[in-house]
Amino acid sequence: MEADPSDKVFKALADPGRRLLLDRLRAEDGQTLRRLCEDMGMTRQAVAKHLRVLEEASLVVPIRRGREKLHHLNPAPIQEIADRWIGRFDRGRLRALADLKAKLEGDPDG
Amino acid sequence: MEADPSDKVFKALADPGRRLLLDRLRAEDGQTLRRLCEDMGMTRQAVAKHLRVLEEASLVVPIRRGREKLHHLNPAPIQEIADRWIGRFDRGRLRALADLKAKLEGDPDG
DNA sequence: TGATTATGCAACCGTTCGGTTGCGTGTCAA
DNA sequence: TTGACACGCAACCGAACGGTTGCATAATCA
């Protein structure tokens, strides 16, 4: 039902825990699940679920190394969103905000 | 519990319907609720709920005009995310993707 | 005034989400 | 070979989500 491929990325980014995981992988790439569980305040299985969501959004690429699974960050989908989607709201439109503020202040009854 | 002010923005962007509403407001700013309901495939109340989420994320600013409510797009929070958060995953890191691909291809067993 | 229009409010409902517990499987090391 | 370690799988649970229906309220117009 959902054709937009970037939808998974948006949904994956919607959770603060998952954003934290991305931050941690950015700080140190290729960490193991056990390692990523530290200071997350939740069980290993919960973290594994979050990582799975990130994997399905292609934000994290897992590499099996013997009995452990190294998680690698893939920033490409985020850049894609920044370029394709957020780029639409370019800085030129930010001028509209000033206009809006002026309108709000000059027309207090709404 | 959630201190991050940008969390609401991420969550608001997580729904494709809400992203569509932002797109429509980008195409034509200051639309009424009734207008925004057209071709959304859901009831007015559902659209109103989505708009409320966008308002609480400061992505949409409503202005009452008599009995109707004009919805104005505020791209600032999106730019904020693009600058503050997505900016961390700068293009320099995209080189890591090539390295990762090489690693995956050169080490097929994972 | 009275009908119509634009919106708000609230209860309700099925599904998804974030998290847990419990158990199974494969890998490494003594 | 045995035990510990890293991980996967699945059932379960409460809360949040996306959407509906029904009714109330305020502004406009004939």
Side-chain angles (χ1 to χ4, degrees):
Chain A
M1 197 68 184
E2 186 50 59
D4 185 3
S6 66
D7 185 63
K8 284 186 177 180
V9 182
F10 278 111
K11 289 224 169 77
L13 293 178
D15 185 85
R18 286 193 290 264
R19 293 197 299 273
L20 178 56
L21 286 171
L22 291 180
D23 274 342
R24 286 175 141 220
L25 286 179
R26 188 180 54 88
E28 182 183 342
D29 202 29
Q31 293 185 60
T32 182
L33 168 60
R34 218 79 198 188
R35 182 81 178 285
L36 288 170
C37 284
E38 297 170 9
D39 304 316
M40 283 297 288
M42 62 184 80
T43 60
R44 173 181 57 87
Q45 286 86 345
V47 176
K49 277 192 186 181
H50 283 306
L51 286 171
R52 190 160 193 274
V53 174
L54 292 171
E55 287 172 25
E56 284 173 352
S58 298
L59 285 164
V60 162
V61 180
I63 296 184
R64 285 310 270 288
R65 196 82 180 182
R67 67 176 160 180
E68 50 188 21
K69 187 180 180 184
L70 291 317
H71 297 82
H72 291 266
L73 178 64
N74 179 19
I78 290 184
Q79 278 300 333
E80 211 166 296
I81 280 184
D83 294 344
R84 282 208 229 155
W85 202 82
I86 299 183
R88 304 184 205 170
F89 302 87
D90 53 50
R91 278 166 179 74
R93 282 201 70 80
L94 276 178
R95 197 159 301 182
L97 177 61
D99 298 346
L100 179 58
K101 272 188 178 171
K103 195 188 300 183
L104 280 167
E105 289 159 0
D107 196 0
D109 65 338
Chain B
M1 196 70 186
E2 185 52 58
D4 185 2
S6 66
D7 185 63
K8 284 187 177 179
V9 182
F10 278 111
K11 289 225 167 78
L13 292 177
D15 185 85
R18 287 193 289 263
R19 293 197 298 274
L20 178 56
L21 285 172
L22 291 181
D23 274 342
R24 286 173 142 223
L25 286 181
R26 187 181 53 89
E28 182 182 342
D29 202 28
Q31 294 185 60
T32 183
L33 167 61
R34 217 83 200 189
R35 182 81 179 284
L36 287 169
C37 282
E38 296 171 9
D39 304 317
M40 283 297 289
M42 64 184 78
T43 60
R44 172 181 58 87
Q45 287 84 344
V47 176
K49 276 192 185 181
H50 283 307
L51 285 171
R52 190 162 194 274
V53 173
L54 292 170
E55 287 172 25
E56 284 173 352
S58 298
L59 284 164
V60 163
V61 179
I63 295 185
R64 283 310 269 289
R65 197 81 179 181
R67 67 175 160 181
E68 49 187 20
K69 187 179 179 185
L70 291 317
H71 297 83
H72 290 266
L73 178 64
N74 178 19
I78 290 184
Q79 278 300 333
E80 211 166 294
I81 281 185
D83 294 345
R84 283 207 224 155
W85 201 83
I86 298 183
R88 305 184 204 169
F89 302 89
D90 53 51
R91 277 168 180 73
R93 282 200 71 82
L94 276 177
R95 198 160 298 181
L97 177 61
D99 299 346
L100 179 59
K101 271 189 179 170
K103 195 188 299 183
L104 280 167
E105 289 159 1
D107 196 0
D109 64 338

